[in-house]
Amino acid sequence: MQASASIATSHLQAHAVLAKQCNRPRPITMHSAEAEIYAQSELAKTLYHIEFGAVRIYRLLADGRRQVVAFHIAGETFGFEAGNVRSFFAESIVPTGLTVVDLDQDGRYSPQVMDLALREMIRAQQHLLVVGRQSALEKVAVFLVDLAERQGDLDVIDIPMTRTDIGDYLGMTIETVSRNLSKLRDDGILRLHSSRSIEILKPVHLRRLSN
């Protein structure tokens, strides 16, 4: 988990550098909750920076099920693709404001943006390991530790996504997500203020579970 924390810290630093570069006034595009930002198979022409709100990235499977592959929160950038076509859908989870990340004078993205793209790839690889190898309780712990780190290691973290979103991300049912959150609460590791707000009471214990 130390490697994960290091990646999360450098991830935050890279987003902070990009935010400073994007500090000049620019129009904010508003999206209501559950609004489509882009669709799978569209041309990939734009990167987006989240000014406020949260975004889910997902793919529809052949049997109609949804697989969430990433969440992005305020201060983060998304829309990276290996090619010129979108591989996933992007939707706002809550009311969300986005700005467009500009190309430089040579028509390319800055080194800071490319660094973020690499870190997103590493995060995606870590997600595959979590979904494929760990127990349900460990998966939920990893998810919460990661989200806390991305919010600056706050004790009280905002959970903009629903339990269904979390289940589709971790590869489990909504009942399993809720049961394991309740277990962490009953063990005194978490306090559930609401469905969208969780206080981490024992961060060391939570990190141990996520190892």
Side-chain angles (χ1 to χ4, degrees):
M1 197 61 201
Q2 288 180 346
S4 175
S6 175
I7 289 170
T9 300
S10 56
H11 190 75
L12 283 171
Q13 291 170 344
H15 278 294
V17 169
L18 181 59
K20 287 181 181 178
Q21 292 180 339
C22 298
N23 205 23
R24 62 185 175 81
R26 61 187 59 216
I28 296 177
T29 304
M30 306 295 293
H31 296 268
S32 59
E34 305 297 330
E36 183 179 283
I37 299 165
Y38 56 74
Q40 187 174 328
S41 300
E42 284 184 0
L43 288 178
K45 297 180 178 179
T46 306
L47 296 180
Y48 299 95
H49 184 76
I50 304 177
E51 301 296 333
F52 61 86
V55 171
R56 74 172 69 88
I57 308 296
Y58 72 95
R59 172 180 287 171
L60 291 177
L61 304 178
D63 59 6
R65 288 180 299 133
R66 184 185 69 167
Q67 176 62 61
V68 176
V69 298
F71 296 113
H72 296 287
I73 58 177
E76 297 185 347
T77 300
F78 70 97
F80 299 103
E81 295 286 352
N84 296 323
V85 176
R86 297 289 187 195
S87 302
F88 305 98
F89 293 87
E91 287 180 347
S92 53
I93 301 173
V94 294
T96 299
L98 305 176
T99 52
V100 172
V101 178
D102 293 330
L103 297 168
D104 62 22
Q105 294 179 346
D106 297 325
R108 300 176 181 177
Y109 288 113
S110 69
Q112 288 78 16
V113 171
M114 300 313 296
D115 182 55
L116 283 175
L118 176 61
R119 296 182 193 286
E120 287 300 328
M121 182 181 70
I122 294 172
R123 186 179 293 278
Q125 291 171 339
Q126 289 179 327
H127 175 236
L128 289 175
L129 290 174
V130 169
V131 171
R133 297 186 182 179
Q134 295 181 303
S135 71
L137 187 63
E138 290 168 338
K139 290 178 185 180
V140 172
V142 170
F143 171 76
L144 293 173
V145 168
D146 175 67
L147 195 59
E149 288 172 347
R150 290 159 65 188
Q151 294 185 21
D153 274 326
L154 300 174
D155 291 333
V156 179
I157 57 175
D158 180 42
I159 312 286
M161 56 289 294
T162 65
R163 301 291 189 263
T164 300
D165 286 332
I166 296 170
D168 288 347
Y169 180 64
L170 296 177
M172 60 179 69
T173 65
I174 182 174
E175 292 81 10
T176 303
V177 173
S178 296
R179 185 167 58 250
N180 282 278
L181 286 172
S182 295
K183 176 171 174 50
L184 292 171
R185 178 201 62 198
D186 295 343
D187 290 345
I189 296 173
L190 302 178
R191 178 177 292 129
L192 306 179
H193 290 289
S194 71
S195 62
R196 298 296 176 94
S197 178
I198 291 177
E199 183 178 359
I200 301 176
L201 300 175
K202 298 179 180 178
V204 174
H205 287 69
L206 190 63
R207 285 182 182 277
R208 264 190 216 132
L209 284 172
S210 69
N211 285 337

